[in-house]
Amino acid sequence: MESKKGERFPGKNTVYRFLNHSGYAWRLFLLSLSGETIARMEPLTSSNRERAFIFDDSMFERNRSKAVEMLARFKDHATGAFYKGFRILKMGWSDGHSFVPIDVGLLSSAKSGITGMTGGIDKRSHGYKRRQEAFRSAPHVISAMLDRALQAGISASYALMDNWFTHAPLIQEVLRRGLHVIGMVKNDNKCYLMNGQRLSLRELYAAAPRVEGKNRNILRLIQTDLAPGIPVVIVFVRRHRSKKNAEWLAILSTDLALTAQEIIRIYWMRWDIEVFFKCAKSLLLLQKEFQGRSYDLLVSHTTIVFSRYILLAWQHRQSTDARSFGGLVYLLCDEVGTLDWTLALQQPGRFSP
């Protein structure tokens, strides 16, 4: 709108009509774009390198809004305060070098909803299906996201998640789809089976043997079963490196062949989704670029921001990975090879003592 070429572009009202339309398949667009980008990145990645799907949820705040469609009230578990808005559920793919967002869902709440769904929407449209999904539980949405990603041909070996999702029902759903789970575990009364006894996480820590080695931040390691009978390995690590008496953290893995160091190294990839969301909010104007009341606009705006990040991730991969130069290295080798040994020895002063 501020550009000198603005007269050639569609008007503001046209853009908002496009964003508010409920018939566009924004999810299919994002999945197609991310799938094509990942397909171009995988030849640059070693076959021995781990690939993972990463899940996370964050706040999508609209505290100053009153009439936004499907607005709800949620609790921020980090601060304990309540906010108005949505719960944004994100799914991404990472190989430890590049992160690509694959899917997104804006979740509302039927119990704590402030405004309802707008009437008159075609029930066959993509917008209506996204609205129905917004009232489903996060584990149900994550399972659907996994199915869509696998059907699109995107492959991974692990599913990484925070302690809000590392529960037995969701772990079973992920294992059923052929992936292992690595995630943080809450220090609660979740039951683990050990020698026929049901133990809490704190009791399991007391029963776990200490890990010998140079890394003093890895405290203990134990193999046990989650209450439904899922075999897992749990690694206990120090919360603060400088405070030896500080509380520990527990990381769960369903891949029993991994060592403690490998479990921590793979789980470290989950931080990529935190960096991505911080970049989307601070630099790519998520929640700030468009102001609208319809749920369709929120979905389309979020998808556009995620698409920008995909393009930036691909550009960054091309500029930092030497293998993305393609045949440039071979062309340089051919150019050097044109100077044969006979010609080189005839050059005066080249090889004089």
Side-chain angles (χ1 to χ4, degrees), residues 30 35 137 152 184 186 300 346:
L30 181 63
S137 63
M184 193 76 70
K186 283 185 180 180
S300 58
Q346 294 176 357

Side-chain angles (χ1 to χ4, degrees), residues 156-169:
S157 301
Y158 298 94
L160 310 181
M161 55 190 68
D162 204 355
N163 52 17
W164 300 111
F165 304 112
T166 313
H167 299 287

